[in-house]
Amino acid sequence: MYRFLMSRQWVILTLIALLLIPTMIRLGIWQMHRYEERTARNQLVTDALAAEPVPVERLTAPGHTVTSAERYRTVTAKGRFDTEDEVVVRRRTNSDDEVGYHVLTPFVLDDGKVLLVNRGWIPSDGPSQTTFPKVPAPPGGEVTVKGRLMPDETTAASGIKNLQGLPDRQIMLINSEQQARRLDARVLGGYIAQTSPEPKGDSPELMGNPGKEDAALNYAYAIQWWLFAAAVPVGWTVLARREARDRARKAAEAADTTEAEPAAV
């Protein structure tokens, strides 16, 4: 009854089914790993944002690499802004996906070390891309700033190419080592995204809270792949039984036709 399973067509179909099942299972496992990774990162963000602010030098120092556990931690620093060495970071977007600049201003601490402060976003509405944009001034004198600690930007992590030959006082990546060489100063590792004091006139536009990754989507994909894997043998069985029924019916019809034919004279 099931001898047709040895036909070329059904052997190929069976091999494809046997290949699809482990492949879909593996894809489901990969999606579950992605779910766990994203869930862990989301928890780190939640914990960091909920933590009490601490002085910036408690978490970072010159040459320090900001860890994932330190990322987004709220830190404070007391000192003054150095607008003479201020630069802008090209090709950055705001919450409305408008392209402009981030304003990066060195912040000189009381002990002489320098903290890089991303003061926020400004539009690129200058006469040309080579002209240094008009940047709103930060508070003068000694102030206390607060912000979220961020790791140095790299091409590998961000996908942003560190282009050379840019106009004066324009950069592509926020990197404390590069800025330490430019400023010839002791620059703390990483930088902060300023959250206070808020700028006058709402410019530069402060950075919003970090978004959370959609981990639930990966969980749904994992379940979906495993359901697909379970459906393959079910579908194969249904097709095989249908084929067997069709063949049995055709054989019965052929037998009935043979019996109904008159005997030859």
Side-chain angles (χ1 to χ4, degrees):
M1 184 175 177
Y2 286 95
R3 291 181 62 184
F4 65 87
L5 293 177
M6 301 304 296
S7 66
R8 182 173 181 272
Q9 177 184 357
W10 272 93
V11 168
I12 293 174
L13 183 62
T14 302
L15 290 176
I16 292 174
L18 292 175
L19 180 63
L20 284 176
I21 292 171
T23 300
M24 291 177 176
I25 292 174
R26 292 280 297 177
L27 287 171
I29 293 172
W30 177 77
Q31 288 289 354
M32 188 58 70
H33 286 163
R34 290 284 294 160
Y35 164 74
E36 293 169 353
E37 290 171 359
R38 286 186 163 187
T39 300
R41 284 198 291 267
N42 287 342
Q43 189 60 50
L44 283 174
V45 173
T46 299
D47 293 343
L49 294 179
E52 291 294 322
V54 297
V56 66
E57 290 187 271
R58 189 179 297 179
L59 295 181
T60 185
H64 175 73
T65 299
V66 176
T67 66
S68 58
E70 296 164 343
R71 187 179 186 180
Y72 299 125
R73 283 289 305 273
T74 300
V75 295
T76 60
K78 187 177 180 181
R80 59 177 179 81
F81 284 104
D82 174 17
T83 55
E84 291 185 2
D85 290 314
E86 190 170 63
V87 295
V88 293
V89 191
R90 293 167 60 96
R91 299 179 185 175
R92 299 303 168 106
T93 58
N94 65 357
S95 57
D96 296 322
D97 289 331
E98 297 173 318
V99 180
Y101 303 97
H102 280 174
V103 179
L104 187 69
T105 309
F107 188 77
V108 183
L109 306 179
D110 291 340
D111 60 5
K113 297 187 183 75
V114 174
L115 169 66
L116 300 177
V117 178
N118 184 344
R119 294 203 290 123
W121 181 90
I122 60 172
S124 54
D125 53 5
S128 71
Q129 291 292 319
T130 60
T131 304
F132 190 77
K134 184 178 180 180
V135 179
E142 189 171 73
V143 296
T144 298
V145 297
K146 183 187 294 185
R148 293 186 296 273
L149 185 61
M150 302 294 293
D152 287 330
E153 295 179 345
T154 63
T155 297
S158 66
I160 301 173
K161 293 182 179 180
N162 193 21
L163 302 177
Q164 304 299 317
L166 295 176
D168 187 38
R169 300 176 65 187
Q170 296 190 23
I171 61 175
M172 295 299 299
L173 296 168
I174 305 177
N175 187 283
S176 61
E177 292 184 2
Q178 295 173 6
Q179 293 304 305
R181 291 192 294 269
R182 182 181 72 89
L183 298 170
D184 191 22
R186 295 176 298 160
V187 178
L188 302 183
Y191 67 98
I192 69 167
Q194 182 180 334
T195 56
S196 71
E198 295 186 4
K200 296 180 180 179
D202 297 327
S203 184
E205 181 183 321
L206 295 181
M207 311 289 291
N209 286 331
K212 293 186 178 181
E213 300 182 46
D214 191 358
L217 190 62
N218 294 102
Y219 186 87
Y221 285 155
I223 299 300
Q224 186 180 63
W225 279 119
W226 290 336
L227 288 176
F228 285 161
V232 169
V234 173
W236 183 93
T237 302
V238 170
L239 290 176
R241 288 182 175 179
R242 182 181 298 172
E243 179 80 7
R245 286 198 304 269
D246 290 346
R247 288 174 178 266
R249 186 183 70 253
K250 291 178 180 178
E253 291 173 353
D256 291 343
T257 301
T258 302
E259 291 175 2
E261 289 178 356
V265 178

